[in-house]
Amino acid sequence: MELSVLNIKGEDTGKKVTMSEEIFGIEPNEHAIYLDVKLYLANQRQGTHKSKERAEINHSTRKIKRQKGTGGARAGSIKSPVFIGGGRIFGPRPRNYTFKINRKVKTLARISALSAKAKVDAISVLEAFTFDAPKTKSYLTVLNSLSLVNTKTLLILSEVDNNVYLSSRNVPKAKVTTVDLVNTYDLMNADRLLISESALSNLETLLNK
């Protein structure tokens, strides 16, 4: 599979890159993608939610009415969940939502995500670029040249470029990451992947380990 390399003006530079079939040409494994995305979202949860149950409520434990003869249900304590201010039944408790999946499954998930994007022609390769200073307008100009202003994009760089990252930070639907931080969620969440020419070989090396 070959793709043309574009510059930041959206013009074809005349260069071609060959995309590895082992990374961009496999049949996507949907279950691996599901597991890795689920793990990513689970890791975003703080798990600090908590509500008081009846044993933790600071109320009197006096029996509030006699057992029989009232015409109503029995009630032993104002802490009961049926009363206002009572404890919550099976309320949320602090917990860790993360779980483990094997490294090979994570790698398969990322390769599957890349192959899924390649399958629908949602990948563009860009010539290496940078900005002299962090300016949102500079990044918007690049997206406008590529006709992607209103498209959810993920730009993958070979290494951190603060000027590019800071320029993109205030652009809606745009995200910039590096090869070593690429994850399945971001790949699947983007409608268009923009991969810098230098990042492409690094990405293939990383995922072929």
Side-chain angles (χ1 to χ4, degrees):
M1 176 183 175
E2 279 192 344
L3 283 181
S4 298
V5 178
L6 307 177
N7 59 24
I8 57 174
K9 294 180 180 178
E11 302 165 340
D12 191 337
T13 62
K15 292 187 285 186
K16 300 277 187 184
V17 289
T18 302
M19 314 283 278
S20 169
E21 286 295 319
E22 295 175 351
I23 305 297
F24 297 93
I26 72 165
E27 184 62 34
N29 187 315
E30 293 183 3
H31 189 61
I33 292 174
Y34 161 75
L35 287 175
D36 204 19
V37 169
K38 183 180 177 183
L39 177 63
Y40 175 87
L41 294 175
N43 287 335
Q44 306 309 301
R45 301 185 70 172
Q46 289 184 318
T48 55
H49 41 34
K50 178 72 176 76
S51 66
K52 288 186 177 182
E53 298 183 5
R54 64 186 301 170
E56 300 166 305
I57 297 294
N58 186 21
H59 276 318
S60 169
T61 57
R62 178 182 66 84
K63 187 171 176 65
I64 59 177
K65 65 180 182 180
R66 59 183 182 159
Q67 182 84 344
K68 295 179 179 292
T70 64
R74 295 173 291 185
S77 169
I78 198 77
K79 293 182 179 183
S80 172
V82 301
F83 295 123
I84 293 174
R88 184 170 174 187
I89 305 171
F90 304 128
R93 296 177 178 181
R95 57 166 289 195
N96 182 5
Y97 283 91
T98 193
F99 59 95
K100 181 182 180 298
I101 63 175
N102 294 333
R103 182 177 57 83
K104 287 184 178 180
V105 176
K106 288 185 181 181
T107 301
L108 175 60
R110 282 178 289 174
I111 292 173
S112 294
L114 289 168
S115 293
K117 293 300 179 184
K119 214 171 187 179
V120 294
D121 195 25
I123 298 177
S124 296
V125 179
L126 299 182
E127 197 173 43
F129 71 95
T130 188
F131 300 135
D132 295 330
K135 288 185 179 179
T136 302
K137 188 176 180 181
S138 300
Y139 198 76
L140 280 172
T141 301
V142 173
L143 292 180
N144 194 46
S145 299
L146 297 168
S147 302
L148 296 173
V149 172
N150 295 316
T151 304
K152 200 179 288 186
T153 59
L154 176 67
L155 172 62
I156 304 174
L157 302 174
S158 58
E159 56 188 23
V160 176
D161 186 322
N162 282 326
N163 285 347
V164 174
Y165 169 70
L166 293 173
S167 298
S168 72
R169 197 165 54 171
N170 286 333
V171 179
K173 299 183 179 181
K175 183 168 184 176
V176 174
T177 189
T178 54
V179 169
D180 55 327
L181 295 178
V182 166
N183 63 73
T184 307
Y185 176 83
D186 285 340
L187 292 173
M188 295 305 296
N189 190 44
D191 294 324
R192 188 84 189 176
L193 301 183
L194 305 174
I195 307 177
S196 73
E197 194 177 359
S198 55
L200 185 61
S201 56
N202 291 349
L203 191 61
E204 291 177 353
T205 301
L206 178 70
L207 296 177
N208 269 324
K209 284 182 180 179

